[in-house]
Amino acid sequence: MTEQPRLSNATVSSLSKAVERPGYDRNQVTTGIVHLGIGAFHRAHQAVYTDSVLASGDTSWSILGVSLRSADTRDALVPQDGLYTVATRSGNGDSFRIIGSISRVLVAPENPQAVLGAMVDPAVRVVSLTVTEKGYCYSPASAALDEEHPDIIHDLANPAAPRSAIGYIVEALVRRRSDGTEPFTLLSCDNLPANGRTLQRVVTRFAELRDPELAEYILTNVAFPSTMVDRIVPATTDADRATIVAATGLVDSWPIMTEPFSQWVVEDHFPAGRPAWEKFGVTFVRDVDAFELMKLRLLNGSHSTLAYLGYLAGHETVSDVMKAPGFSGLIEAMMDEEISPTLPPLPGFDLASYKAELRERFRNPALRHRTWQIAMDGSQKLPQRLLNTIRSRIENHLPFDRLALGVAAWMRYVTGVDEKGGVIDVRDPLAVELKNRAGNKSDAGELFDALIGLEQIFGNDLSANEAFQRSVKAQLEKILKQGAGETVAQTG
Ligand code: CS2
């Protein structure tokens, strides 16, 4: 077999016409965005919209990506001149596009000064983030900065060589201020409610711990628009890499596999300027909260429920779960009866079609989105995906058995042992604590009691709430007795 050439600036022109490629001269672009957390989601979403902006002739917005931990993305992308393939997959086939908007990638732990140097460049007007929930170094239930977090303790002691996104942001703002450069706009693109305000809260609290006057400066001068981001992006596998080389003829070390759907709703508050993303399908609004709650509760709440129950029932991917008895009905009823009534109104928005489309997206047979992937970091996801929805149901004295089933499935999942006695690889910042509490518990009451005391997940209200206890324990009992698959088949 002859070795296929690697994707790069030199080889991209050899691609067949069927593969879309950067419609601009990549030597002419300049950096306008620093992105913290250059993972697959960013590359399937914001980087794609920005690629279109560059192609429209506004060449001042190329992206400098920063990995806050591992060198993997840099090692994959630098030999490819930052180019990568986005494969859009559906039951109707695949399409391929080469994205060129990422011009450089830095690995923060290798060179914090290079990252700070990039962030103080006056040409950089937006610093965006996809650092996942845990990257905010906060307590998930209260969304307040976790002042005991090792990275926060480190960054307060070593402000000039930080580790956390928060530490980088504050130090860069300090340096810009002393340079007389106006601040950048901070754009959180993570799945958190009111993500801009959450980022603002943790950043200003961190700044306050450094110097109260600095916190005042940030509150007065820095914009933190909130956003709702949506695109399903399963982790790339070696089989995906083989698909890409077979389809395009070029080796790509880290292609991105995603779905046709993509949505980005952004609060239009960018005092330092922004790309004209609205030309390429981004919706700018005054207030994004209602969109964000809708997406977090309907999409991500359903996703987590499908992931925990589906994993326990032995299903590898979301589309497999959707085919198993009862699951599709469970999700539809959960959306219609338990989640939708908790959502703020969005006048003119067709919620019924949105929900039907969500279920279609979950069924996408061409995406292999693993339940295990979605199950990760449950301690960080549960509050905004399921628990806040339950709180709203409780306030209104309404039932929430299906949402409780999702929570119960998480409790069963974090015991770390599956229904056949195999080990579950529970990935979570609280994994050790979860194992200590839940491992080897097989009684519903004991398991519930062991986990409910985790205040950073459940707050201090739910543990005292009788309806919550009753409903979650009853569901847990069923899962433990008859298994997740059978429980869903009977509930759905
Ligand atoms: C998923 C999300 O992994 C997860 O927790 O629920 O990443 C989901 O695919 C995206 O939010 C879709 O926009």
Side-chain angles (χ1 to χ4, degrees), residues 72-146:
D72 296 359
T73 304
R74 191 267 319 272
D75 293 349
L77 291 191
V78 167
Q80 303 179 180
D81 302 315
L83 294 169
Y84 61 95
T85 317
V86 170
T88 303
R89 318 197 78 181
S90 74
N92 303 325
D94 299 344
S95 65
F96 304 95
R97 173 171 171 183
I98 308 296
I99 299 298
S101 53
I102 297 176
S103 43
R104 281 180 71 198
V105 182
L106 296 175
V107 182
E110 287 177 6
N111 193 347
Q113 296 320 310
V115 175
L116 289 165
M119 293 173 82
V120 300
D121 178 349
V124 168
R125 285 151 288 160
V126 174
V127 169
S128 52
L129 295 89
T130 48
V131 292
T132 79
E133 297 84 352
K134 59 179 177 281
Y136 289 76
C137 303
Y138 69 3
S139 153
S142 65
L145 183 72
D146 174 2

Side-chain angles (χ1 to χ4, degrees), residues 41 191 229-232 295 299-300 303 369 373-374 381 385:
F41 182 74
N191 284 314
V229 293
D230 189 6
R231 197 167 201 191
I232 293 175
K295 191 259 169 174
L299 188 156
N300 299 109
H303 239 180
H369 198 190
Q373 184 186 343
I374 301 167
K381 293 173 176 172
R385 293 183 177 206

Side-chain angles (χ1 to χ4, degrees), residues 33-39 41-43 45-47 63-68 119 126-137 163-170 173 184-192 195-200 202-203 222-229 264 270 277:
I33 299 172
V34 168
H35 184 79
L36 306 179
I38 188 100
F41 182 74
H42 172 74
R43 294 199 280 137
H45 191 268
Q46 301 106 64
I63 300 167
L64 183 146
V66 177
S67 290
L68 288 164
M119 293 173 82
V126 174
V127 169
S128 52
L129 295 89
T130 48
V131 292
T132 79
E133 297 84 352
K134 59 179 177 281
Y136 289 76
C137 303
R163 275 187 197 150
S164 70
I166 316 294
Y168 275 103
I169 288 167
V170 172
L173 288 169
F184 38 67
T185 296
L186 279 157
L187 189 62
S188 165
C189 297
D190 283 295
N191 284 314
L192 314 171
N195 52 11
R197 280 193 301 289
T198 299
L199 180 61
Q200 182 184 45
V202 293
V203 163
V222 182
F224 294 81
S226 283
T227 63
M228 181 265 254
V229 293
W264 196 6
F270 290 78
W277 284 311

Side-chain angles (χ1 to χ4, degrees), residues 308-320:
Y308 296 118
L309 287 166
Y311 184 96
L312 292 169
H315 303 298
E316 196 184 344
T317 68
V318 175
S319 60
D320 294 342

Side-chain angles (χ1 to χ4, degrees), residues 357-369:
E357 190 178 18
L358 279 184
R359 292 189 297 272
E360 264 326 288
R361 292 170 61 197
F362 295 160
R363 284 193 194 98
N364 186 339
L367 276 193
R368 294 193 51 77
H369 198 190

